[in-house]
Amino acid sequence: MKNVHTNGTQDFLSWKWEDIAPIGEHLLDFEINSDNIDRWLKEYSDLLSVIDEMFTRLYIKTTQYTNDSDIEARFNEFIEQIQPKFRTLDEKLQKKLLSSGIKPKNFDIPMKKIQAENELFCEENLPLLVEEQKLAYEYNKIIGGLTHQWEGKELTTSEMSVFQFNPDRSVREKAWRVVTGDRLKKRDEINALWSKMVKLRVEIAKNKGFDNYRDYVWQKKYRFDYSPADCKTFHDSIEKVIVPAAKRLFARRAQRMGIPAIRPWDIFADPYGDTALKPFSDTAELISKGREVLRHVNPVFAEYFDQMRVDGRLDLESRKNKAPGAYSLGFAVERTPFIFMSASGTQNDVSTLLHEAGHAIHEVLRGKLEYFQDRSENFLPAEFAEVASMAMEFLTTPFVNAKTGGFYNDKDAARAFINQIEESLRFWPYMSVVDSFQHWIYENPEISVDGEQCELKWAELWNRFMGAIDYSGEEMVKQTYWHRQLHIFDSPFYYIEYGMAQMGAVQVWANSLTNYAKAVENYTNALKLGSSVGLPKLFETAGAKFDFGVETIQQNISLMETKLEELVSTLDQAG
C-alpha cells in the first residue's frame, strides 16, 4: 500500500486508483475511538490533500494550455477514472466519522460542513458532475482560444485590453469593436453550450430532491450564515445607495472627459492624466515591484511571495490559448500557493497581482492548520477568502509609490488609487447584475435554458444596476456581456462573495487609516483561522462587520466618496 505521507515528494501525482484505494480501505477498516480520532483524522486529511493537489495541478495545466490535447486527456482521465471513485470512497469515510458520534476537538464548523457535503452525495450524480466539468472546460477553450487581428498582429483578448486604457478615444472604440465583434461570432456556440449546462445542473439538483439548483448550491457552498433572501436584500441596498453613487461617478467622469455620456469604451479611460498608466514594462518588473509593495505591508508577506517566484509558482504572462481570468490556487500537500493571470502592462495587472497575492498569503497562513477541512479552499468560505484579496488591494495603496519601491510617481499613485476606488464603486452594481442573473436563471430554468432569453434578462438587469453606461446602438453587445463572465459558466453562484468581501475589505481599510499596524494584525489573525470558525467570527477578527444593510453600506460609500474628492482635489491643485 502506498504511504499517504508523501514526505515532501510529488510521487503521488502519478498514482492510479489502484494506489489510492488501499489507503481508503485502511481508513475504513480503522476502528476509531476518542483516543485515536486525531490520528485517523490526520491520515484522512492527508488523503484528501493528495486527491486535491492531483486535481489542482491538472486543472492549472488545462488553464495554462487550453489547446494541449495531452493535458486535456490527463485531466479527463482524472475526473473520469479517479474523481468519481474517490467521491464514493469519501462519502463512506465521512459517514464513518459522522456515525462514530465522536466530536474532534475544535472541529465543530468542519463537522457541520462534512455533514452538509455528505448529504449531497449521490451516485447518480457522479457522471453528471464529470460532464459539468467537461462543459466548463469547453467554455474555457472557446474563450481562451479567442484572438484578434490588430494592426497586422494576432493578439489575445488580454493583450487587447491594454487599448481600453488608451487616452485616444478613437483607439479605445476601435479596439472595443474588434474584441466585441470577435466575441459575438461565438454567440451561438456559447448559447448552445449554456443550454447543456442549465439542463445538467437542474438534473443534478433534482437527483438530490432539491426544488432548484440554487438550493443545492447553497448547501454545496456551506452558506450557513445567509440566505438567498439576504442576497436580494443586498442587491436592493446596492440599488438604493451605490447605484446613485456610481451614477455620480460616471457623470463626473463624462464631464471631465468632455463627452455627453460614458460609452462602453470609456469605462477604463483615465480622465486624470494625458497618458495611460504604465506601471511596469515586463513581468519581471511586475514581480519585483509587487514584492516590495508587499514587504511594506508585512515583511513576512514578501518572503512568501519570494518563495513563489523561486519555486516557479507564478504564471503571469499573456499568451495564446491561455484561459481567461486570474486565480490563486493552493497545493494541499505542499501547502503552497500558485498564482495565474495574464499581464498586459496595465494598472489592472498591478491590482490583480496584489489581489491574488492576498489569496496566496491566505493560503500560506491557514496552511499551518493541521486538518485539510480547516485549511482547504474546498471548505473555506469564499465570502471571507475574498476579504483576504480585496483588503490586500487597499492595504498596499500607501506603498505603490516609487518612493517605497512601487510602481508610480506621486501623481500616478493618486491616479491609480482614484481608479481603484472608482472600480470598487462600479463593481458592486455589476456584482448585483451577475448575482441577480444567477438567481433568475435557476428560479426559471425552463426559460433560462434558452440563451436568447438569458440575453434579454441580462439586459434588463444591466439597465437596473448599470444604466449609467450608454450602450445605445450596442444592445447586442450589452445583452451578451454575460458570455464573458467566467463564474456563470465555471463556478455558478460564485459572485455575491466578491460583493460581501468588498464590504469587509473597505472596513479593514478604514481601520488602517486610524491604526495601520493594528489593522494588518487583525487581518493576519483572521487569515490564520482558515475554515475553523464561521463568517461572522472571521469578519469580526478582521475588524469588520458581516452586515450588508443600508447603514453599513452607506458608511463605506461615504468614506470612499470622501477619499475620491480628496485625491481629485490634490491632483487638480498639483496641475
Side-chain angles (χ1 to χ4, degrees), residues 273-288:
D274 297 329
T275 58
L277 292 173
K278 183 68 176 174
F280 61 94
S281 57
D282 54 32
T283 53
E285 186 179 359
L286 173 63
I287 291 170
S288 64

Side-chain angles (χ1 to χ4, degrees), residues 72 168 258:
E72 181 179 359
D168 188 329

Side-chain angles (χ1 to χ4, degrees), residues 253-401:
R253 286 174 65 87
Q255 182 180 26
R256 196 170 186 100
M257 295 168 73
I259 56 179
I262 295 294
R263 300 283 277 162
W265 47 85
D266 298 320
I267 296 171
F268 301 106
D270 183 357
Y272 304 103
D274 297 329
T275 58
L277 292 173
K278 183 68 176 174
F280 61 94
S281 57
D282 54 32
T283 53
E285 186 179 359
L286 173 63
I287 291 170
S288 64
K289 290 184 175 179
R291 186 254 184 216
E292 278 303 294
V293 171
L294 292 170
R295 183 178 67 83
H296 286 285
V297 179
N298 186 331
V300 175
F301 295 171
E303 292 176 12
Y304 297 156
F305 189 73
D306 266 342
Q307 196 60 52
M308 294 181 71
R309 176 187 57 80
V310 171
D311 293 346
R313 289 183 278 109
L314 298 172
D315 182 356
L316 312 184
E317 295 84 4
S318 177
R319 60 180 177 270
K320 185 179 179 181
N321 293 312
K322 188 175 183 180
Y327 60 73
S328 172
L329 290 176
F331 299 133
V333 175
E334 284 191 355
R335 305 195 191 189
T336 57
F338 178 95
I339 292 178
F340 171 98
M341 59 177 281
S342 298
S344 57
T346 68
Q347 178 206 344
N348 186 59
D349 296 326
V350 174
S351 58
T352 297
L353 179 65
L354 297 175
H355 177 103
E356 300 304 340
H359 281 309
I361 289 163
H362 195 188
E363 180 77 35
V364 176
L365 291 174
R366 69 178 190 269
K368 301 181 189 303
L369 296 167
E370 183 171 12
Y371 299 125
F372 178 85
Q373 294 89 345
D374 278 330
R375 55 184 166 78
S376 163
E377 292 167 55
N378 299 342
F379 286 84
L380 188 69
E383 299 84 352
F384 186 75
E386 297 299 342
V387 173
S389 55
M390 292 176 168
M392 182 63 79
E393 292 183 60
F394 280 106
L395 291 171
T396 52
T397 53
F399 312 115
V400 296
N401 197 301

